[in-house]
Amino acid sequence: MDLDELYQEVILDHYKRPRGAGLREPYEGESHQVNPTCGDEITLRVHVKGDRVADVSYENVGCSISKASASVLYELVHDTTVDDALARLAEFTELMNSKGQSDGDEETLEDAVAFAGVSKYPMRVKCALLGWMAFKDALVRAEAETGGSRP
């Protein structure tokens, strides 16, 4: 099995068995995002306790890339510090904007490196980033709700 096939398997696994799916309470920030070019949608909630992302939950409809990316997002940011989550968001965004020129750092991005091939296709990049942008927006809303100053 070559690397592209392995990455396809990772994406299919997250699509078929999404981690963190289903909206949960409590939460401080919620964001609903739509990709107008294809119709993918996500509603994402974030629960922050102190400096930690205690939980991320979401409901989404859309393509396998969009759904799998939200699942990977959950695995990478739940129960981490907000700073670590934001660093992974920045690193994933950089990978998606690399136009296929980066493989990403497997040590920090873990399964998210499977989306490296997606970065070659601008229309698919939006699908992969949808959940991540919802996460960023939900964090901003959570900070506003709690009087914090992030991000």
Side-chain angles (χ1 to χ4, degrees):
M1 178 181 293
D2 73 0
L3 197 57
D4 286 337
E5 288 175 351
L6 177 64
Y7 286 168
Q8 287 175 0
E9 288 295 320
V10 168
I11 291 171
L12 277 175
D13 179 53
H14 279 275
Y15 170 68
K16 290 178 181 177
R17 288 177 283 290
R19 285 61 152 186
L23 293 175
R24 291 183 291 281
E25 293 188 15
Y27 67 94
E28 292 74 36
E30 180 177 271
S31 178
H32 180 78
Q33 300 289 317
V34 177
N35 181 347
T37 60
C38 66
D40 291 353
E41 292 187 42
I42 188 167
T43 300
L44 184 139
R45 293 177 174 171
V46 64
H47 174 47
V48 179
K49 272 182 137 174
D51 70 340
R52 298 195 73 74
V53 177
D55 192 24
V56 174
S57 63
Y58 62 91
E59 283 184 352
N60 59 350
V61 293
C63 68
S64 60
I65 298 292
S66 176
K67 292 183 108 173
S69 184
S71 175
V72 169
L73 162 75
Y74 168 80
E75 283 197 332
L76 286 175
V77 303
H78 90 280
D79 199 31
T80 66
T81 67
V82 172
D83 288 340
D84 285 346
L86 289 172
R88 287 181 172 169
L89 166 69
E91 193 171 340
F92 185 74
T93 302
E94 184 178 316
L95 174 65
M96 288 297 90
N97 290 324
S98 74
K99 298 181 178 162
Q101 300 303 306
S102 174
D103 294 329
D105 182 354
E106 191 171 353
E107 188 172 313
T108 56
L109 287 180
E110 300 173 20
D111 281 355
V113 297
F115 293 88
V118 172
S119 71
K120 298 175 193 171
Y121 306 98
M123 295 302 283
R124 305 306 286 174
V125 167
K126 291 179 182 179
C127 299
L129 284 173
L130 187 65
W132 294 81
M133 296 302 100
F135 173 70
K136 183 177 182 180
D137 184 47
L139 268 181
V140 168
R141 292 168 186 260
E143 292 294 330
E145 178 72 22
T146 60
S149 59
R150 294 188 188 262

